[in-house]
Amino acid sequence: GARRRMECADAPAATAAEPFLDLYALLGPEATPATPQDDLRRLYELRRKDTGAQDGRGPVTSKTALEEAWEVLSDEGRRKAYDAVWGRQRDASAMSVQARADVFRRQGNELYCAARELMRSKTGLASMGAVQEGLKFYRAAMHQYSTAVELTPADHRLYSNRAMCYLAVEDFGRCRSDALRCMELKHDFAKGWYILSKCSWQMGNKDEALGELERGLAAAPGSRDLLALREELAGGSGGGTA
């Protein structure tokens, strides 16, 4: 329905990445996959020392890290596999700020939708365990959106998406704050008005919610989601549920 379209609009996959150890960084700024012999000589010399390596920024390694580098880079098969990962990591680090923010936004979207599914069942009720797990997913989604906000603070979508998470956990103050910020950035964004009105309704302020819906429809005329919510409010007697 309208709510499903509004709340889970664009959500590909989120994964938890493990920290990546740049073995070439241990050897200095000139080390790359293109200089295998030089890298191995440098690594051999470093392993003979007890103090570790420096790359111009101070100590960055330990004997354990150097041993790991030797095991990987001295083995042709393992080195080729590592070099492929190293190349992808380098490309990712060169991504634009907007591209990185979009990654966090999409991860937040999937976490949000996963949380909603955990809260649902065929009977409309979720087990206590599912509820607790769902809350964890909502918090994780908030973190993803907050990270994206730090990168692109003028992206209105991030505030609306995070506001949906706050609405789901009934943190109405933060929900309203994010919804208002979203509409400051893009006044005609229907989703922002939807969230603001829904928040007011769930707080028990039906008249205020209807007023916000009217202002939203003035800013985004003909929005099916806002019209559907107005009809829902007109037929309801109190606060809705997320």
Side-chain angles (χ1 to χ4, degrees), residues 23-24 26-28 30-32 34-49 53 66 69-71 73-75 79:
L23 301 181
Y24 291 109
L26 304 179
L27 308 183
E30 296 180 357
T32 72
T35 58
Q37 296 303 319
D38 291 341
D39 294 346
L40 288 177
R41 279 195 294 269
R42 170 67 171 155
L43 184 53
Y44 179 78
E45 293 171 1
L46 289 172
R47 289 174 67 241
R48 295 178 60 188
K49 301 177 182 179
L66 290 172
W70 178 261
E71 291 174 3
L73 300 182
S74 63
D75 182 293
R79 180 169 186 147

Side-chain angles (χ1 to χ4, degrees), residues 181-194:
R181 178 56 179 153
C182 170
M183 290 178 298
E184 286 178 6
L185 293 167
K186 189 170 176 59
H187 185 67
D188 62 349
F189 190 52
K191 184 177 179 180
W193 290 104
Y194 176 94

Side-chain angles (χ1 to χ4, degrees), residues 193 197 208-220 226-227 230:
W193 290 104
S197 304
E208 184 175 350
L210 287 168
E212 289 160 350
L213 272 174
E214 294 304 324
R215 294 197 297 277
L217 285 166
L226 295 179
L227 290 169
R230 184 174 67 176

Side-chain angles (χ1 to χ4, degrees), residues 118-129:
L118 282 168
M119 296 292 198
R120 289 173 173 166
S121 73
K122 292 181 180 179
T123 63
L125 299 173
S127 69
M128 182 61 67

Side-chain angles (χ1 to χ4, degrees), residues 1-7 164 167 175 189-202 205-214 216-217 222-242:
R3 185 180 304 169
R4 180 70 174 177
R5 292 196 308 274
M6 183 68 73
E7 296 174 354
M164 288 300 304
L167 184 64
C175 176
F189 190 52
K191 184 177 179 180
W193 290 104
Y194 176 94
I195 297 167
L196 185 67
S197 304
K198 191 74 177 290
C199 182
S200 294
W201 186 26
Q202 287 189 219
N205 301 325
K206 183 178 177 180
D207 291 340
E208 184 175 350
L210 287 168
E212 289 160 350
L213 272 174
E214 294 304 324
L217 285 166
S223 166
R224 290 183 297 171
D225 295 304
L226 295 179
L227 290 169
L229 184 58
R230 184 174 67 176
E231 182 177 349
E232 188 178 354
L233 262 69
S237 59
T241 56

Side-chain angles (χ1 to χ4, degrees), residues 96-105 144-159 162 181 185:
S96 69
V97 171
Q98 183 62 61
R100 295 202 303 274
D102 284 343
V103 170
F104 290 115
R105 177 177 59 83
Q144 296 295 321
Y145 294 136
S146 296
T147 301
V149 163
E150 292 177 2
L151 293 168
T152 54
D155 188 338
H156 64 281
R157 299 170 300 174
L158 301 175
Y159 298 95
R162 190 170 64 181
R181 178 56 179 153
L185 293 167

